Amino acid sequence: MKRSFKDKSHGRAPAELGPTQRQLRAGELVRHALVEILREEEIHDEALHNVSITVTEVRCSPDLRHATVFVEPLGAGLGGVTISKEQIGPAVDALNRHSKFLRGILGKHIEMKFTPDLRFLHDESFNEAARIDALFMRPDIARDLHHDDEDEE
């Protein structure tokens, strides 16, 4: 009897339901370890000098061999502060240059069969949230939102 891919995945199609519990658990494990590593280790790179990095999320591949690490400078997104790609770009590039070094240290901090390869990306979600907040503050949008609230009552 031939089994389809759906049979092997216990009814899950890979892209349908998002990450598995295993991927989420591994991502959080890696995120917590990277936070400690970035706090404790000194990375000798001019682009990272006096820059505090926040690790906002880690997404692991289904086989847990690759991890995409989303980072943001400390304090970004607070009080409507947005960070452009030009401002964070050098720091993200520096983290990607030192990803093998960080992976080596990560392997000593976590207990996983494989230490995932790391790829760092700027987390755009804070900028997107600030953009949406700014839209809601526009007078024409606020008027429409206020008008809809009155109709419901």
Side-chain angles (χ1 to χ4, degrees):
M1 178 176 135
K2 269 189 160 177
R3 294 179 120 192
S4 69
F5 181 78
K6 193 170 184 176
D7 292 337
K8 293 178 189 175
S9 63
H10 304 285
R12 291 176 57 102
E16 268 181 27
L17 301 175
T20 63
Q21 281 297 116
R22 182 173 170 247
Q23 288 172 276
L24 294 172
R25 240 185 354 260
E28 278 301 295
L29 179 69
V30 170
R31 187 180 72 80
H32 284 280
L34 280 175
V35 166
E36 290 299 314
I37 291 167
L38 290 173
R39 187 175 57 81
E40 294 172 358
E41 294 293 325
E42 189 171 329
I43 301 172
H44 300 288
D45 195 304
E46 190 62 35
L48 295 172
H49 185 69
N50 290 332
V51 176
S52 293
I53 299 290
T54 301
V55 179
T56 58
E57 182 183 1
V58 176
R59 293 183 190 163
C60 289
S61 64
D63 64 0
L64 306 182
R65 290 182 184 244
H66 305 281
T68 302
V69 182
F70 292 92
V71 296
E72 184 76 12
L74 187 64
L78 298 176
V81 175
T82 59
I83 303 294
S84 69
K85 286 185 180 182
E86 292 78 31
Q87 292 170 304
I88 186 65
V92 172
D93 292 342
L95 288 169
N96 280 312
R97 277 194 305 274
H98 298 286
S99 65
K100 288 186 180 10
F101 169 73
L102 292 168
R103 181 179 183 236
I105 297 170
L106 179 65
K108 298 173 187 170
H109 280 77
I110 62 173
E111 292 184 27
M112 289 176 62
K113 187 173 182 179
F114 302 102
T115 304
D117 291 325
L118 303 173
R119 187 180 92 195
F120 293 89
L121 293 176
H122 177 226
D123 188 351
E124 296 289 333
S125 62
F126 291 100
N127 288 349
E128 187 63 17
R131 187 185 71 78
I132 291 171
D133 281 345
L135 280 175
F136 283 136
M137 296 300 175
R138 283 182 27 196
D140 55 332
I141 305 278
R143 181 190 67 234
D144 291 344
L145 290 174
H146 181 68
H147 181 70
D148 289 345
D149 289 342
E150 290 174 352
D151 288 346
E152 290 177 5
E153 294 174 3

